[in-house]
């Protein structure tokens, strides 16, 4: 999906990844992140958010729940993270990263609210239901705290990804507000929905989803009940390109994820966006038959939309030799990738993929590299995948 754009805008990353693999400094099944590119993108996002008076929470699930990455991003002005689930929150907090929002997609379990309050200490918690609100409130009262919360809201017709359904039904919100406001351990400060933006059919820009209207209607309902709104949180595709659009609609908070590595869907088609592609996936040819070359895997993602990969035994070859990807079925484990066999291919050749990632659901390692445009790229951090 991002092979051509990465060649065009950050060829040094591809060469650096090939050099490190051929030297034996990184194994196959490793995502390689350009640390300098990541920081460039984070600074661009931070500057744009400051210009439009918007606050950002950075997301790391797509780059491996990395505390190392979190600290780099925080150095660039985005000071707090959004944790997709409590395990990501634990990992980031243990690395010294600050959590801005937890519960955004996965709600903590009933036994974990005390940990959220004592260890994670988020700025806000996103809640999907009255039952979870009661659980959080009880934990907060027991600790003598009051936790700020935002409510995820949905209604029929909203864009909801499979496996991500949840939230307060908009038509029930007004009825539930009195019950929520009775809870002494929480304070409602805003609302959220996801996804608020999706790329259009022509791949030329992002369209606003019906979720934004749901979100803004919920915010007005909260205001009508005397609630002071501090957050209108509108995640999905938050980037330098979309921040002005979100601000025009009254959004106060965004949550950049793929923009940090220059890999939102629009980045595959538009070479003028502020963020540069900063992540590739490294494999190698394991074995071949007459038709295919099989590459060591473990890091593929069914929604990656891969079409082609680069291959070769040297960094020069890798930037000039392409092969068509034969995608594996999502029903199968990705033990190997599959390339249509080209000449000259050899067992042990480096293979470079560039696609939309979700590293936290894979078995892949993560390598952070500096100086990708130098003759001596440096591996500065290696995040080995645990058993």
């Amino acid at each position: 999906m991002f092979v051509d754009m990465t060649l065009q805008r950050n060829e040094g990353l591809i060469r650096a990844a090939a050099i490190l693999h051929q030297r034996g400094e990184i194994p196959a099944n490793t995502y390689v992140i350009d640390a300098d590119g990541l920081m460039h993108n984070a600074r661009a996002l931070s500057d744009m958010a400051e210009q439009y008076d918007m606050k950002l929470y950075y997301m790391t699930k797509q780059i491996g729940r990395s505390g190392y990455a979190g600290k780099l991003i925080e150095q660039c002005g985005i000071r707090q993270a959004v944790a997709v689930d409590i395990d990501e929150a634990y990992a980031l907090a243990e690395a010294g990263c600050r959590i801005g929002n937890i519960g955004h997609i996965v709600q903590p379990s009933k036994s974990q609210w005390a940990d959220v309050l004592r260890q994670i200490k988020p700025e806000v918690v996103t809640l999907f239901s009255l039952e979870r609100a009661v659980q959080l409130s009880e934990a907060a009262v027991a600790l003598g705290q009051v936790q700020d919360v935002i409510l995820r809201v949905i209604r029929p017709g909203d864009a909801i990804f499979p496996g991500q359904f949840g939230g307060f039904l908009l038509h029930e919100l007004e009825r539930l507000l009195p019950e929520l406001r009775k809870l002494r351990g929480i304070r409602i400060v805003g609302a959220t929905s996801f996804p608020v933006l999706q790329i259009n059919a022509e791949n030329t820009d992002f369209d606003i989803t019906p979720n934004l209207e749901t979100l803004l209607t919920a915010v007005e309902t909260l205001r009508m009940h005397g609630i002071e709104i501090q957050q209108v949180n509108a995640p999905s595709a938050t980037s330098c390109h979309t921040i002005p659009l979100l601000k025009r609609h009254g959004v106060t908070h965004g949550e950049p994820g793929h923009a940090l590595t220059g890999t939102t869907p629009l980045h595959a088609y538009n070479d003028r966006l502020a963020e540069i592609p900063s992540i590739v996936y490294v494999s190698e040819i394991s074995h071949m038959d007459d038709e295919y070359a099989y590459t060591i895997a473990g890091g593929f993602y069914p929604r990656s939309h891969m079409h082609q990969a680069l291959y070769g035994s040297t960094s020069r070859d890798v930037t000039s030799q392409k092969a068509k990807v034969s995608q594996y079925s999502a029903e199968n484990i990705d033990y190997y990738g599959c390339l249509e066999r080209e000449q000259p291919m050899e067992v042990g050749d480096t293979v470079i993929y560039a696609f939309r990632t979700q590293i936290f659901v894979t078995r892949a390692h993560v390598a952070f590299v500096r100086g990708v445009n130098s003759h001596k790229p440096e591996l500065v951090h290696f995040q080995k995948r645990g058993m």
Side-chain angles (χ1 to χ4, degrees), residues 6 9-17 20 31-43 63 68-69 72-73 76 260-262 275-281 366-374 377-381:
T6 307
R9 302 192 68 194
N10 197 1
E11 182 180 312
L13 172 58
I14 293 169
R15 286 188 279 104
L20 292 170
Y31 283 97
V32 178
I33 295 175
D34 176 359
D36 301 311
L38 178 73
M39 295 182 75
H40 163 86
N41 294 341
R43 288 191 194 99
I63 53 174
Y68 181 84
L72 293 181
I73 294 164
C76 300
L260 292 164
T261 48
E275 304 90 355
I276 61 173
S278 297
I279 186 169
V280 295
Y281 178 64
V366 187
F368 291 83
V369 180
R370 286 193 182 276
V372 301
N373 289 304
S374 71
E378 180 185 4
L379 175 63
V380 293
H381 181 75

Side-chain angles (χ1 to χ4, degrees), residues 126-354:
T126 297
L127 293 174
F128 283 28
S129 67
L130 176 60
E131 292 83 359
R132 290 296 186 196
V134 170
Q135 293 169 5
L136 174 58
S137 178
E138 289 175 349
V141 169
L143 293 170
Q145 299 180 22
V146 177
Q147 173 64 54
D148 285 348
V149 302
I150 58 177
L151 309 180
R152 176 164 162 162
V153 288
I154 59 172
R155 66 174 166 181
D158 280 355
I160 305 292
F161 293 125
Q164 296 185 23
F165 185 85
F168 290 89
L169 291 168
L170 184 62
H171 68 271
E172 294 183 351
L173 182 59
E174 193 160 11
R175 176 180 64 82
L176 292 173
L177 275 176
E179 294 298 314
L180 288 164
R181 300 189 73 185
K182 289 178 184 177
L183 301 175
R184 295 185 294 118
I186 64 169
R187 176 173 47 244
I188 301 169
V189 298
T192 187
S193 183
F194 175 83
V196 169
L197 298 173
Q198 287 185 320
I199 196 165
N200 63 23
E202 296 78 26
N203 298 319
T204 57
D205 209 338
F206 289 103
D207 286 339
I208 294 171
T209 70
N211 301 39
L212 182 59
E213 183 181 352
T214 300
L215 172 59
L216 297 178
T217 302
V219 166
E220 281 306 306
T221 299
L222 297 180
R223 285 197 175 108
M224 287 170 52
H225 283 259
I227 294 171
E228 181 183 353
I229 299 299
Q230 299 175 25
Q231 285 212 24
V232 182
N233 183 300
S236 75
T238 307
S239 66
C240 292
H241 178 72
T242 62
I243 285 172
L245 171 65
L246 294 171
K247 186 63 180 182
R248 287 199 298 272
H249 287 276
V251 172
T252 65
H253 286 65
E255 298 180 349
H258 283 285
L260 292 164
T261 48
T263 53
T264 78
L266 192 59
H267 283 84
Y269 303 100
N270 187 328
D271 62 2
R272 298 183 180 181
L273 301 180
E275 304 90 355
I276 61 173
S278 297
I279 186 169
V280 295
Y281 178 64
V282 176
S283 181
E284 71 177 69
I285 295 177
S286 168
H287 52 282
M288 296 184 286
D289 58 25
D290 291 341
E291 188 174 4
Y292 296 111
Y294 300 94
T295 65
I296 297 169
F300 293 139
Y301 178 59
R303 293 172 58 204
S304 59
H305 303 297
M306 293 182 293
H307 299 293
Q308 57 188 355
L310 303 166
Y311 71 95
S313 60
T314 69
S315 60
R316 178 178 294 180
D317 289 343
V318 166
T319 59
S320 61
Q321 297 180 157
K322 293 180 183 178
K324 187 176 180 181
V325 171
S326 178
Q327 292 214 42
Y328 76 97
S329 169
E331 297 174 356
N332 299 319
I333 298 171
D334 62 326
Y335 293 114
Y336 293 100
C338 186
L339 303 179
E340 293 187 4
R341 188 165 178 178
E342 301 283 349
Q343 293 295 334
M345 278 183 166
E346 300 290 342
V347 170
D349 277 357
T350 300
V351 179
I352 304 290
Y353 298 86

